[in-house]
Amino acid sequence: MAVAALRKYEFEPADAPAKFHGAQLLYVGWEDHLMFCAPFAFPLPPTMPFRAMVEQVLPGAFGYHPDFARIDWAKAEWFKSGRPWTPDFDKSLADNGLGHKDVIRFRTQGLTGIAGSCS
Amino acid sequence: MDMQVAKKKLGLKERYQVMTRGLDWTPSYQKMEDIYPYAAYEGIKIHDWDKWEDPFRLTMDAYWKYQAEKERKLYAIIDAYAQNNGHLNVTDARYLNAVKLFLTGISPLEYMAHRGFAHVGRQFPGAGPRVACLMQSIDEIRHAQTQIHSLSNYNKYYNGFHDFRHMLERVWYLSVPRSFFDDAVTAGPFEFMVAIGFSFEYVLTNLLFVPFVSGAAYNGDMGTMTFGFSAQSDEARHMTLGLEVIKFILEQDPDNLPIVQRWIDKWMWRGYRVLTLVGMMMDYMLPKRIMSWKEAWEVYFEENGGALFKDLARYGIRPPKWLDQISFDKDHISHQAWATFYQYGAAAAFNTWTPNDEEMDWLSQKYPNSFDKYYRPRLEYWREQAAQGKRFYNKTLPMLCQTCQIPMLFTEPGDPTKICYREVDYQGSKYHFCSDGCKEIFEYEPEKYVQAWLPVHQIYQGNCFPEGADPTAEGFDPLAEVLKYYHVEMGRDNLDFEGSEDQKNFDQWRGQATKNA
């Protein structure tokens, strides 16, 4: 449906890619670890290698959790928009098909948060 | 000789007629649709505005007289409260953080309600609803004023009360109540009335005011309690107006039903999402609790609201959508929200804390299905960490819902261990939502919600730093700069309650009032 309006109702989206100074937004969530209340939003260059995102960006965001140091990244399961997905760690975010405002999640088998509570 | 003497005074009924509808006239040289340009475009059909039953018979002169009397009493109590250092009688300085949330998140909405009702009071072609909306508009600005006056007393002694208006348009969590009301006032007059007059004022208002006003009474805050009671007689009038509006619209034309139903679905969901903040306040921020969020929802929505929707069934209205999910979520949302504020406590304009043992036991008792299993381990872990000097401050910005603007903290219906993700592709861009409700609201009017000013995205665009800040400079600290832009003073207005200036001052001042040392 379209918005009911008296005149033409067209406005630019507030979050168009051009407004992020060359970065694109990527949302990342860690399944079964709700101590981080919500997935994170990162402004990252599309040319950043996926590996750099995992090794340099994620620790600053998720590193507080005692499970984080125990992650075996080779076994982590990934999801893009909720569907199983396999990233290539050596390719860039863009070459992995990640665009502006894409959402990915990872699940780390055997790690289920504080006292198994998914916290 | 008998002389015919004109009656000096009109009877009550005549007087009401003359002073309300009698003030209206039929235009002769302007077209009705030019005078009331917003009356038709929403698709609502009104055939006879005279069928409007005035829900209360109040004339403007009586209104002023009555309100002035109430206001005199209110200000006498507020003055006495201030002069007697009433602030030292509250249960515990933690309580003040609930008041900060009210002043920054709710009082500005009273002002927005004033603007909304003033607009609608101008735009309805019927004189009856115009007069009713005018009075409600004045009520709302009075409520904003009396709340600000009552709470300004706290600003002399405590942090976080100093710049609520500036914060409303900037601070991340205040974008939740703000965008809710912006959505309503930018809608047409009929949608505004269903959104605010009916869904908020009639159905959800008890869930907002009872917790804050009773919370104030339970926690020794005479000032807040008094303005709550003072506003109560107005609220009763607002509720009557909200209900009358729905009935009037539905009785005017059968085509109005699907439009009104969609608005009820939308605005109950929008209102319910805003009330997450109230749920968290009730379960975590009041040192002396009144009832749990879950209990409040059961009494004020499931019982009272259930009866209302049964009553409205004769017009073809069904209960709002997504009630199953809300019913499941009542065990969870207050805990999920407090966990969010606790971890983003460096970016909030109030203090946060972990509950003490007694409070955790209260939560276990009130939430036997959820607290010990999902939330206690998290809170206890944080408490242990804080005791070791590692208090958790989450410094990475969260993903937000495009519609309600709350961080994506809500879980899947039926599974509190999984974050609920929903997304939509619209004109080549992705949009994300916390729930089916927020997603469906977006899908109906995407043109509106693509404009959302999402605080996290605005920070990343560089729009939330003070003037002159240079994000490319060496050692640029984004969090510090965002706090400056918010007018939140690091170390005073934010962080943990333990060790805060409010805590120290309150203890010291109360000590002086009750001890000789």
Side-chain angles (χ1 to χ4, degrees), chain B residues 352-471:
Chain B
T352 48
W353 57 88
T354 47
N356 60 34
D357 288 330
E358 186 211 335
E359 289 164 341
M360 293 229 203
D361 290 344
W362 183 88
L363 290 164
S364 300
Q365 189 212 329
K366 295 292 182 187
Y367 293 96
N369 306 325
S370 62
F371 185 73
D372 286 351
K373 192 169 175 194
Y374 303 109
Y375 305 106
R376 186 189 275 269
R378 189 180 304 178
L379 291 164
E380 286 181 346
Y381 179 78
W382 282 340
R383 196 165 62 178
E384 284 160 27
Q385 291 289 303
Q388 296 167 30
K390 290 182 278 185
R391 204 281 193 194
F392 181 37
Y393 288 113
N394 191 339
K395 294 197 180 74
T396 312
L397 304 184
M399 175 181 185
L400 305 180
C401 171
Q402 186 78 24
T403 303
C404 70
Q405 308 201 2
I406 298 176
M408 297 266 295
L409 61 94
F410 299 104
T411 43
E412 280 288 350
D415 187 353
T417 68
K418 293 258 171 285
I419 294 285
C420 182
Y421 294 82
R422 298 289 181 273
E423 66 178 61
V424 164
D425 283 299
Y426 175 69
Q427 295 190 342
S429 256
K430 279 201 156 54
Y431 295 91
H432 301 272
F433 309 93
C434 69
S435 54
D436 294 321
C438 282
K439 173 172 172 268
E440 192 172 312
I441 291 167
F442 175 92
E443 284 175 312
Y444 199 83
E445 294 175 312
E447 306 90 335
K448 193 167 191 182
Y449 300 99
V450 298
Q451 303 168 63
W453 194 91
L454 298 180
V456 166
H457 297 178
Q458 292 297 319
I459 291 171
Y460 285 148
Q461 289 179 27
N463 299 333
C464 299
F465 301 126
E467 217 166 305
D470 176 11

Side-chain angles (χ1 to χ4, degrees), chain B residues 86-106:
Chain B
H87 65 99
L88 294 178
N89 292 330
V90 303
T91 39
D92 171 344
R94 287 184 305 168
Y95 165 74
L96 298 168
N97 293 292
V99 187
K100 293 174 200 176
L101 188 61
F102 190 90
L103 176 69
T104 53
I106 308 295

Side-chain angles (χ1 to χ4, degrees), chain A residues 1-7 9-17 19-21 25 27-43 60-62 64-66 80-83 100-105 107 114-115 117-119, chain B residues 37-38 41-42 336 339-340 343-344 373-375 377-378 381-382 385 390-392 394 396-400 402 407-411 416-419 421 423 429-432 443-448 450-454 456-458 460-462:
Chain A
M1 266 304 289
V3 75
L6 283 171
R7 282 176 281 278
Y9 190 95
E10 271 178 26
F11 297 93
E12 195 193 353
D15 298 316
K19 297 186 175 186
F20 290 85
H21 314 286
L25 291 181
Y27 306 111
V28 185
W30 183 8
E31 297 288 274
D32 309 328
H33 290 79
L34 301 195
M35 181 153 77
F36 305 103
C37 62
F40 290 121
F42 299 103
F62 293 109
Y64 178 83
H65 201 291
K80 185 183 167 199
S81 289
R83 283 179 289 278
H100 184 51
K101 299 210 282 172
D102 261 328
V103 60
I104 57 174
R105 312 179 225 174
R107 186 190 287 141
I114 306 298
S117 67
C118 292
S119 270
Chain B
Y38 300 129
Y41 83 96
E42 295 172 273
Q336 293 167 343
T340 302
Q343 64 194 263
Y344 288 111
K373 192 169 175 194
Y374 303 109
Y375 305 106
R378 189 180 304 178
Y381 179 78
W382 282 340
Q385 291 289 303
K390 290 182 278 185
R391 204 281 193 194
F392 181 37
N394 191 339
T396 312
L397 304 184
M399 175 181 185
L400 305 180
Q402 186 78 24
M408 297 266 295
L409 61 94
F410 299 104
T411 43
T417 68
K418 293 258 171 285
I419 294 285
Y421 294 82
E423 66 178 61
S429 256
K430 279 201 156 54
Y431 295 91
H432 301 272
E443 284 175 312
Y444 199 83
E445 294 175 312
E447 306 90 335
K448 193 167 191 182
V450 298
Q451 303 168 63
W453 194 91
L454 298 180
V456 166
H457 297 178
Q458 292 297 319
Y460 285 148
Q461 289 179 27

